[in-house]
Amino acid sequence: MRLATRVAASHLCAMAEHWMVKLALLALTLETPALAAAPPTTERSATLSQLFSASDVRSLGRTLPADRVLHFRVREPASGPRGVLIYVSPTDSGELPADWVEVMERERLLYIAAEGFGNSRLTAERVLAALAADRLARQMGVKDAPRVIAGMSGGGRVASQVITHFPQLFTGAICIVGADYFMPQDEAQRAAVASRRVVMLTGSRDFNQREIQLVSRRYQQAGVSKLLLMDLPNFAHQLPDAAQLAQALAFLDAN
């Protein structure tokens, strides 16, 4: 299936998040210290034409122009990466959550997140930004390594679309308080999706809890057996802490 066709297919998950998403994100903002330390990431920029082949760029022009400059937040582990985590934020910031820095370092994961692709953007654009982040990781020399697509809220929905439309690119997914159900019709693609490991996080205080419980069951019924539902007590519409993220990554790493 052509890259542009699969990106366009991701439009099916474009659905408005409940207004409580804004309240949850506002709470996260209010918790940020007024005098924050230097960010743990650095910025990298590239256009689609610098990341994709000429033929892909021509077809992807329906989603984003070839000369559109994409900005990414990037963090490389000190000991060199053994894998990649691409994060889809519900906000326009792609900054690495402070609680996750230690985990990224310990697990030796290259962290990449696009800036400016929060919940207000079209799903196809957000999917393409995640694929562009994967291309950036490969240009940085991280090629044959485990790859995780992760996202929160609307970003979790995008992560679920990426892993099911592009299972050949990612080994696992972490869908945090947001996920959509989609399984391809093509048998080979369905088998590839079924072979991937997926973690879905929700909790008793998350307004998306029932939907994520339902989506996880549908995936398991469709043959995605390597799926862990982390349904946590007192967990709201929020990011996982370091221990919860480490548990999710451990499941993705399991044989």
Side-chain angles (χ1 to χ4, degrees):
M1 186 183 295
R2 289 179 62 83
L3 182 60
T5 303
R6 285 174 285 171
V7 169
S10 66
H11 274 295
L12 60 89
C13 80
M15 44 192 308
E17 284 291 331
H18 192 277
W19 61 269
M20 287 181 66
V21 174
K22 293 184 178 181
L23 295 179
L25 297 178
L26 177 61
L28 291 175
T29 302
L30 294 175
E31 291 173 2
T32 303
L35 298 176
T41 61
T42 58
E43 182 180 294
R44 291 199 178 217
S45 301
T47 63
L48 290 183
S49 59
Q50 292 172 323
L51 295 171
F52 293 92
S53 68
S55 59
D56 280 341
V57 167
R58 284 193 296 272
S59 59
L60 292 171
R62 290 175 292 177
T63 304
L64 288 174
D67 59 353
R68 166 69 184 273
V69 178
L70 303 182
H71 302 278
F72 302 92
R73 303 308 303 181
V74 177
R75 185 186 185 279
E76 299 181 73
S79 302
R82 69 166 187 86
V84 180
L85 187 144
I86 293 172
Y87 178 62
V88 184
S89 174
T91 74
D92 283 341
S93 172
E95 189 54 75
L96 173 62
D99 282 354
W100 293 10
V101 174
E102 180 184 350
V103 181
M104 295 295 103
E105 187 64 30
R106 184 173 64 247
E107 299 297 327
R108 294 174 54 195
L109 292 175
L110 171 65
Y111 171 90
I112 305 180
E115 294 264 79
F117 285 89
N119 285 351
S120 63
R121 301 299 293 270
L122 295 175
T123 299
E125 294 177 347
R126 302 175 80 191
V127 169
L128 179 52
L131 299 181
D134 172 64
R135 292 298 181 100
L136 177 62
R138 295 176 189 277
Q139 287 190 0
M140 293 175 65
V142 188
K143 298 179 180 178
D144 299 324
R147 278 172 153 67
V148 175
I149 180 70
M152 177 197 169
S153 190
R157 295 182 186 277
V158 174
S160 67
Q161 291 287 330
V162 170
I163 194 67
T164 52
H165 283 86
F166 302 94
Q168 72 277 15
L169 297 180
F170 294 89
T171 53
I174 302 176
C175 304
I176 305 163
V177 297
D180 288 333
Y181 176 79
F182 172 78
M183 285 295 284
Q185 296 299 313
D186 179 80
E187 287 300 321
Q189 281 285 101
R190 289 178 70 90
V193 172
S195 71
R196 297 298 179 252
R197 305 185 76 87
V198 178
V199 176
M200 294 187 181
L201 284 95
T202 188
S204 59
R205 295 173 53 211
D206 176 21
F207 57 82
N208 275 346
Q209 182 189 36
R210 292 186 65 184
E211 180 184 7
I212 293 173
Q213 291 171 340
L214 174 62
V215 169
S216 68
R217 286 197 297 270
R218 291 188 67 188
Y219 274 118
Q220 290 171 327
Q221 292 167 356
V224 183
S225 59
K226 301 171 185 177
L227 187 151
L228 172 65
L229 174 62
M230 294 177 63
D231 197 343
L232 306 173
N234 298 315
F235 191 85
H237 203 76
Q238 66 185 70
L239 287 168
D241 61 24
Q244 292 159 346
L245 176 63
Q247 181 182 349
L249 290 170
F251 177 80
L252 296 185
D253 277 344
N255 294 323

